[in-house]
Structures are given as C-alpha cells and as structure tokens.
PDB file of all heavy atoms in Angstrom:
ATOM      1  N   PRO A  17      12.299   5.762  -9.379  1.00 73.00           N
ATOM      2  CA  PRO A  17      13.154   5.413  -8.242  1.00 73.00           C
ATOM      3  C   PRO A  17      14.130   4.314  -8.630  1.00 73.00           C
ATOM      4  O   PRO A  17      13.951   3.641  -9.651  1.00 73.00           O
ATOM      5  CB  PRO A  17      12.143   4.913  -7.202  1.00 73.00           C
ATOM      6  CG  PRO A  17      10.949   4.481  -7.991  1.00 73.00           C
ATOM      7  CD  PRO A  17      10.897   5.396  -9.177  1.00 73.00           C
ATOM      8  N   PRO A  18      15.189   4.121  -7.853  1.00 83.00           N
ATOM      9  CA  PRO A  18      16.164   3.077  -8.188  1.00 83.00           C
ATOM     10  C   PRO A  18      15.554   1.690  -8.104  1.00 83.00           C
ATOM     11  O   PRO A  18      14.544   1.470  -7.429  1.00 83.00           O
ATOM     12  CB  PRO A  18      17.255   3.275  -7.120  1.00 83.00           C
ATOM     13  CG  PRO A  18      16.569   3.988  -5.992  1.00 83.00           C
ATOM     14  CD  PRO A  18      15.543   4.863  -6.635  1.00 83.00           C
ATOM     15  N   ALA A  19      16.171   0.757  -8.810  1.00 87.00           N
ATOM     16  CA  ALA A  19      15.667  -0.614  -8.824  1.00 87.00           C
ATOM     17  C   ALA A  19      15.803  -1.264  -7.449  1.00 87.00           C
ATOM     18  O   ALA A  19      16.742  -0.985  -6.704  1.00 87.00           O
ATOM     19  CB  ALA A  19      16.426  -1.430  -9.873  1.00 87.00           C
ATOM     20  N   GLU A  20      14.853  -2.143  -7.135  1.00 94.00           N
ATOM     21  CA  GLU A  20      14.880  -2.898  -5.888  1.00 94.00           C
ATOM     22  C   GLU A  20      14.860  -4.391  -6.218  1.00 94.00           C
ATOM     23  O   GLU A  20      14.180  -4.821  -7.146  1.00 94.00           O
ATOM     24  CB  GLU A  20      13.678  -2.539  -5.013  1.00 94.00           C
ATOM     25  CG  GLU A  20      13.681  -1.103  -4.506  1.00 94.00           C
ATOM     26  CD  GLU A  20      12.534  -0.833  -3.555  1.00 94.00           C
ATOM     27  OE1 GLU A  20      11.763  -1.788  -3.287  1.00 94.00           O
ATOM     28  OE2 GLU A  20      12.392   0.305  -3.076  1.00 94.00           O
ATOM     29  N   TRP A  21      15.611  -5.154  -5.430  1.00 96.00           N
ATOM     30  CA  TRP A  21      15.641  -6.600  -5.639  1.00 96.00           C
ATOM     31  C   TRP A  21      14.371  -7.223  -5.071  1.00 96.00           C
ATOM     32  O   TRP A  21      14.029  -7.005  -3.914  1.00 96.00           O
ATOM     33  CB  TRP A  21      16.875  -7.212  -4.985  1.00 96.00           C
ATOM     34  CG  TRP A  21      18.134  -6.877  -5.718  1.00 96.00           C
ATOM     35  CD1 TRP A  21      19.048  -5.917  -5.390  1.00 96.00           C
ATOM     36  CD2 TRP A  21      18.605  -7.488  -6.922  1.00 96.00           C
ATOM     37  NE1 TRP A  21      20.070  -5.883  -6.315  1.00 96.00           N
ATOM     38  CE2 TRP A  21      19.830  -6.840  -7.264  1.00 96.00           C
ATOM     39  CE3 TRP A  21      18.136  -8.510  -7.738  1.00 96.00           C
ATOM     40  CZ2 TRP A  21      20.571  -7.203  -8.388  1.00 96.00           C
ATOM     41  CZ3 TRP A  21      18.869  -8.856  -8.861  1.00 96.00           C
ATOM     42  CH2 TRP A  21      20.065  -8.210  -9.175  1.00 96.00           C
ATOM     43  N   VAL A  22      13.672  -7.997  -5.919  1.00 96.00           N
ATOM     44  CA  VAL A  22      12.422  -8.638  -5.528  1.00 96.00           C
ATOM     45  C   VAL A  22      12.583 -10.146  -5.690  1.00 96.00           C
ATOM     46  O   VAL A  22      12.850 -10.638  -6.795  1.00 96.00           O
ATOM     47  CB  VAL A  22      11.241  -8.145  -6.391  1.00 96.00           C
ATOM     48  CG1 VAL A  22       9.951  -8.859  -5.985  1.00 96.00           C
ATOM     49  CG2 VAL A  22      11.092  -6.630  -6.261  1.00 96.00           C
ATOM     50  N   VAL A  23      12.421 -10.882  -4.599  1.00 97.00           N
ATOM     51  CA  VAL A  23      12.511 -12.342  -4.654  1.00 97.00           C
ATOM     52  C   VAL A  23      11.298 -12.875  -5.414  1.00 97.00           C
ATOM     53  O   VAL A  23      10.154 -12.477  -5.169  1.00 97.00           O
ATOM     54  CB  VAL A  23      12.564 -12.941  -3.238  1.00 97.00           C
ATOM     55  CG1 VAL A  23      12.566 -14.474  -3.304  1.00 97.00           C
ATOM     56  CG2 VAL A  23      13.795 -12.440  -2.501  1.00 97.00           C
ATOM     57  N   GLN A  24      11.538 -13.783  -6.341  1.00 97.00           N
ATOM     58  CA  GLN A  24      10.476 -14.325  -7.168  1.00 97.00           C
ATOM     59  C   GLN A  24       9.780 -15.501  -6.491  1.00 97.00           C
ATOM     60  O   GLN A  24      10.399 -16.253  -5.734  1.00 97.00           O
ATOM     61  CB  GLN A  24      11.037 -14.751  -8.525  1.00 97.00           C
ATOM     62  CG  GLN A  24      11.637 -13.597  -9.307  1.00 97.00           C
ATOM     63  CD  GLN A  24      10.611 -12.526  -9.609  1.00 97.00           C
ATOM     64  OE1 GLN A  24       9.701 -12.733 -10.418  1.00 97.00           O
ATOM     65  NE2 GLN A  24      10.747 -11.367  -8.978  1.00 97.00           N
ATOM     66  N   GLU A  25       8.492 -15.642  -6.766  1.00 98.00           N
ATOM     67  CA  GLU A  25       7.712 -16.701  -6.136  1.00 98.00           C
ATOM     68  C   GLU A  25       8.132 -18.082  -6.614  1.00 98.00           C
ATOM     69  O   GLU A  25       8.084 -19.050  -5.860  1.00 98.00           O
ATOM     70  CB  GLU A  25       6.223 -16.482  -6.408  1.00 98.00           C
ATOM     71  CG  GLU A  25       5.659 -15.223  -5.752  1.00 98.00           C
ATOM     72  CD  GLU A  25       4.176 -15.044  -6.021  1.00 98.00           C
ATOM     73  OE1 GLU A  25       3.594 -15.914  -6.731  1.00 98.00           O
ATOM     74  OE2 GLU A  25       3.599 -14.060  -5.535  1.00 98.00           O
ATOM     75  N   GLN A  26       8.523 -18.190  -7.875  1.00 98.00           N
ATOM     76  CA  GLN A  26       8.881 -19.493  -8.417  1.00 98.00           C
ATOM     77  C   GLN A  26      10.386 -19.734  -8.307  1.00 98.00           C
ATOM     78  O   GLN A  26      11.194 -18.810  -8.440  1.00 98.00           O
ATOM     79  CB  GLN A  26       8.443 -19.611  -9.874  1.00 98.00           C
ATOM     80  CG  GLN A  26       6.936 -19.589 -10.063  1.00 98.00           C
ATOM     81  CD  GLN A  26       6.522 -20.035 -11.447  1.00 98.00           C
ATOM     82  OE1 GLN A  26       7.210 -20.807 -12.117  1.00 98.00           O
ATOM     83  NE2 GLN A  26       5.358 -19.568 -11.889  1.00 98.00           N
ATOM     84  N   GLY A  27      10.744 -20.981  -8.070  1.00 97.00           N
ATOM     85  CA  GLY A  27      12.141 -21.380  -7.990  1.00 97.00           C
ATOM     86  C   GLY A  27      12.273 -22.840  -8.371  1.00 97.00           C
ATOM     87  O   GLY A  27      11.309 -23.486  -8.780  1.00 97.00           O
ATOM     88  N   THR A  28      13.469 -23.375  -8.247  1.00 97.00           N
ATOM     89  CA  THR A  28      13.715 -24.784  -8.540  1.00 97.00           C
ATOM     90  C   THR A  28      14.204 -25.482  -7.271  1.00 97.00           C
ATOM     91  O   THR A  28      14.349 -24.861  -6.222  1.00 97.00           O
ATOM     92  CB  THR A  28      14.765 -24.943  -9.654  1.00 97.00           C
ATOM     93  OG1 THR A  28      16.065 -24.583  -9.134  1.00 97.00           O
ATOM     94  CG2 THR A  28      14.448 -24.040 -10.835  1.00 97.00           C
ATOM     95  N   ALA A  29      14.489 -26.762  -7.387  1.00 96.00           N
ATOM     96  CA  ALA A  29      14.981 -27.509  -6.226  1.00 96.00           C
ATOM     97  C   ALA A  29      16.353 -27.029  -5.795  1.00 96.00           C
ATOM     98  O   ALA A  29      16.727 -27.185  -4.626  1.00 96.00           O
ATOM     99  CB  ALA A  29      15.025 -29.002  -6.560  1.00 96.00           C
ATOM    100  N   HIS A  30      17.099 -26.410  -6.706  1.00 96.00           N
ATOM    101  CA  HIS A  30      18.469 -25.989  -6.403  1.00 96.00           C
ATOM    102  C   HIS A  30      18.651 -24.479  -6.322  1.00 96.00           C
ATOM    103  O   HIS A  30      19.628 -24.014  -5.746  1.00 96.00           O
ATOM    104  CB  HIS A  30      19.428 -26.548  -7.461  1.00 96.00           C
ATOM    105  CG  HIS A  30      19.431 -28.040  -7.556  1.00 96.00           C
ATOM    106  ND1 HIS A  30      18.638 -28.724  -8.453  1.00 96.00           N
ATOM    107  CD2 HIS A  30      20.116 -28.983  -6.863  1.00 96.00           C
ATOM    108  CE1 HIS A  30      18.837 -30.030  -8.318  1.00 96.00           C
ATOM    109  NE2 HIS A  30      19.731 -30.217  -7.360  1.00 96.00           N
ATOM    110  N   PHE A  31      17.715 -23.716  -6.901  1.00 98.00           N
ATOM    111  CA  PHE A  31      17.915 -22.271  -6.997  1.00 98.00           C
ATOM    112  C   PHE A  31      16.669 -21.491  -6.611  1.00 98.00           C
ATOM    113  O   PHE A  31      15.531 -21.949  -6.802  1.00 98.00           O
ATOM    114  CB  PHE A  31      18.310 -21.870  -8.430  1.00 98.00           C
ATOM    115  CG  PHE A  31      19.518 -22.573  -8.961  1.00 98.00           C
ATOM    116  CD1 PHE A  31      19.408 -23.542  -9.944  1.00 98.00           C
ATOM    117  CD2 PHE A  31      20.785 -22.270  -8.479  1.00 98.00           C
ATOM    118  CE1 PHE A  31      20.521 -24.195 -10.439  1.00 98.00           C
ATOM    119  CE2 PHE A  31      21.914 -22.919  -8.964  1.00 98.00           C
ATOM    120  CZ  PHE A  31      21.774 -23.876  -9.948  1.00 98.00           C
ATOM    121  N   THR A  32      16.904 -20.292  -6.086  1.00 98.00           N
ATOM    122  CA  THR A  32      15.872 -19.272  -5.989  1.00 98.00           C
ATOM    123  C   THR A  32      16.315 -18.104  -6.868  1.00 98.00           C
ATOM    124  O   THR A  32      17.482 -18.029  -7.267  1.00 98.00           O
ATOM    125  CB  THR A  32      15.663 -18.804  -4.541  1.00 98.00           C
ATOM    126  OG1 THR A  32      16.900 -18.266  -4.035  1.00 98.00           O
ATOM    127  CG2 THR A  32      15.220 -19.962  -3.654  1.00 98.00           C
ATOM    128  N   PHE A  33      15.397 -17.193  -7.123  1.00 98.00           N
ATOM    129  CA  PHE A  33      15.688 -16.123  -8.074  1.00 98.00           C
ATOM    130  C   PHE A  33      15.216 -14.775  -7.536  1.00 98.00           C
ATOM    131  O   PHE A  33      14.227 -14.687  -6.814  1.00 98.00           O
ATOM    132  CB  PHE A  33      15.007 -16.405  -9.415  1.00 98.00           C
ATOM    133  CG  PHE A  33      15.334 -17.751  -9.990  1.00 98.00           C
ATOM    134  CD1 PHE A  33      14.453 -18.816  -9.847  1.00 98.00           C
ATOM    135  CD2 PHE A  33      16.525 -17.968 -10.659  1.00 98.00           C
ATOM    136  CE1 PHE A  33      14.747 -20.065 -10.366  1.00 98.00           C
ATOM    137  CE2 PHE A  33      16.842 -19.210 -11.182  1.00 98.00           C
ATOM    138  CZ  PHE A  33      15.954 -20.265 -11.039  1.00 98.00           C
ATOM    139  N   ALA A  34      15.946 -13.736  -7.917  1.00 98.00           N
ATOM    140  CA  ALA A  34      15.561 -12.368  -7.570  1.00 98.00           C
ATOM    141  C   ALA A  34      15.784 -11.479  -8.783  1.00 98.00           C
ATOM    142  O   ALA A  34      16.728 -11.683  -9.558  1.00 98.00           O
ATOM    143  CB  ALA A  34      16.365 -11.855  -6.379  1.00 98.00           C
ATOM    144  N   LEU A  35      14.902 -10.492  -8.947  1.00 97.00           N
ATOM    145  CA  LEU A  35      15.002  -9.558 -10.050  1.00 97.00           C
ATOM    146  C   LEU A  35      15.149  -8.137  -9.512  1.00 97.00           C
ATOM    147  O   LEU A  35      14.473  -7.759  -8.552  1.00 97.00           O
ATOM    148  CB  LEU A  35      13.757  -9.626 -10.937  1.00 97.00           C
ATOM    149  CG  LEU A  35      13.557 -10.904 -11.772  1.00 97.00           C
ATOM    150  CD1 LEU A  35      12.200 -10.873 -12.446  1.00 97.00           C
ATOM    151  CD2 LEU A  35      14.664 -11.049 -12.812  1.00 97.00           C
ATOM    152  N   ALA A  36      16.044  -7.360 -10.131  1.00 96.00           N
ATOM    153  CA  ALA A  36      16.133  -5.934  -9.836  1.00 96.00           C
ATOM    154  C   ALA A  36      15.083  -5.245 -10.692  1.00 96.00           C
ATOM    155  O   ALA A  36      15.175  -5.219 -11.916  1.00 96.00           O
ATOM    156  CB  ALA A  36      17.528  -5.404 -10.158  1.00 96.00           C
ATOM    157  N   ILE A  37      14.056  -4.698 -10.021  1.00 94.00           N
ATOM    158  CA  ILE A  37      12.885  -4.184 -10.722  1.00 94.00           C
ATOM    159  C   ILE A  37      12.705  -2.700 -10.425  1.00 94.00           C
ATOM    160  O   ILE A  37      12.821  -2.260  -9.284  1.00 94.00           O
ATOM    161  CB  ILE A  37      11.622  -4.973 -10.316  1.00 94.00           C
ATOM    162  CG1 ILE A  37      11.753  -6.424 -10.789  1.00 94.00           C
ATOM    163  CG2 ILE A  37      10.365  -4.331 -10.878  1.00 94.00           C
ATOM    164  CD1 ILE A  37      10.586  -7.300 -10.430  1.00 94.00           C
ATOM    165  N   THR A  38      12.400  -1.953 -11.482  1.00 92.00           N
ATOM    166  CA  THR A  38      12.126  -0.525 -11.368  1.00 92.00           C
ATOM    167  C   THR A  38      10.661  -0.275 -11.680  1.00 92.00           C
ATOM    168  O   THR A  38      10.182  -0.687 -12.743  1.00 92.00           O
ATOM    169  CB  THR A  38      12.994   0.288 -12.345  1.00 92.00           C
ATOM    170  OG1 THR A  38      14.374   0.047 -12.069  1.00 92.00           O
ATOM    171  CG2 THR A  38      12.712   1.779 -12.205  1.00 92.00           C
ATOM    172  N   PRO A  39       9.913   0.387 -10.803  1.00 88.00           N
ATOM    173  CA  PRO A  39       8.516   0.738 -11.123  1.00 88.00           C
ATOM    174  C   PRO A  39       8.461   1.827 -12.174  1.00 88.00           C
ATOM    175  O   PRO A  39       9.283   2.741 -12.192  1.00 88.00           O
ATOM    176  CB  PRO A  39       7.953   1.219  -9.786  1.00 88.00           C
ATOM    177  CG  PRO A  39       9.148   1.661  -9.010  1.00 88.00           C
ATOM    178  CD  PRO A  39      10.288   0.798  -9.446  1.00 88.00           C
ATOM    179  N   ASP A  40       7.494   1.716 -13.073  1.00 80.00           N
ATOM    180  CA  ASP A  40       7.328   2.709 -14.129  1.00 80.00           C
ATOM    181  C   ASP A  40       6.276   3.727 -13.708  1.00 80.00           C
ATOM    182  O   ASP A  40       5.659   3.620 -12.657  1.00 80.00           O
ATOM    183  CB  ASP A  40       6.913   2.013 -15.435  1.00 80.00           C
ATOM    184  CG  ASP A  40       7.448   2.740 -16.658  1.00 80.00           C
ATOM    185  OD1 ASP A  40       7.670   3.952 -16.543  1.00 80.00           O
ATOM    186  OD2 ASP A  40       7.635   2.104 -17.706  1.00 80.00           O
ATOM    187  N   PHE A  41       6.048   4.731 -14.567  1.00 71.00           N
ATOM    188  CA  PHE A  41       5.118   5.799 -14.225  1.00 71.00           C
ATOM    189  C   PHE A  41       3.664   5.348 -14.286  1.00 71.00           C
ATOM    190  O   PHE A  41       2.811   5.909 -13.626  1.00 71.00           O
ATOM    191  CB  PHE A  41       5.327   7.001 -15.156  1.00 71.00           C
ATOM    192  CG  PHE A  41       6.698   7.609 -15.036  1.00 71.00           C
ATOM    193  CD1 PHE A  41       7.634   7.446 -16.042  1.00 71.00           C
ATOM    194  CD2 PHE A  41       7.062   8.320 -13.907  1.00 71.00           C
ATOM    195  CE1 PHE A  41       8.898   8.007 -15.939  1.00 71.00           C
ATOM    196  CE2 PHE A  41       8.330   8.871 -13.796  1.00 71.00           C
ATOM    197  CZ  PHE A  41       9.248   8.721 -14.812  1.00 71.00           C
ATOM    198  N   ASP A  42       3.341   4.357 -15.110  1.00 78.00           N
ATOM    199  CA  ASP A  42       1.949   3.977 -15.318  1.00 78.00           C
ATOM    200  C   ASP A  42       1.590   2.665 -14.639  1.00 78.00           C
ATOM    201  O   ASP A  42       0.674   1.975 -15.053  1.00 78.00           O
ATOM    202  CB  ASP A  42       1.646   3.881 -16.817  1.00 78.00           C
ATOM    203  CG  ASP A  42       2.541   2.876 -17.523  1.00 78.00           C
ATOM    204  OD1 ASP A  42       3.457   2.339 -16.865  1.00 78.00           O
ATOM    205  OD2 ASP A  42       2.344   2.619 -18.719  1.00 78.00           O
ATOM    206  N   GLY A  43       2.317   2.301 -13.594  1.00 80.00           N
ATOM    207  CA  GLY A  43       2.016   1.082 -12.860  1.00 80.00           C
ATOM    208  C   GLY A  43       2.705  -0.157 -13.393  1.00 80.00           C
ATOM    209  O   GLY A  43       2.532  -1.248 -12.848  1.00 80.00           O
TER     210      GLY A  43
END
C-alpha cells in the first residue's frame, strides 16, 4: 500500500518529526 505519514514519538524542544512509512509483506 502507499506510504502513510506517521508522527514519531521522539522530538526535540523545537521540532517534531514524521516519517512516510510503507508496510512490508512480512510485518
């Protein structure tokens, strides 16, 4: 399936982060 943006648990005092993640066939 297409990648989905996932907000990451860790961040800094100035920034948050998100990753475009694609699930694979084997988990």
Side-chain angles (χ1 to χ4, degrees):
E20 294 185 1
W21 288 100
V22 179
V23 176
Q24 299 299 290
E25 294 181 0
Q26 294 194 27
T28 72
H30 300 94
F31 304 108
T32 59
F33 306 99
L35 291 173
I37 295 179
T38 301
D40 212 334
F41 298 108
D42 58 355

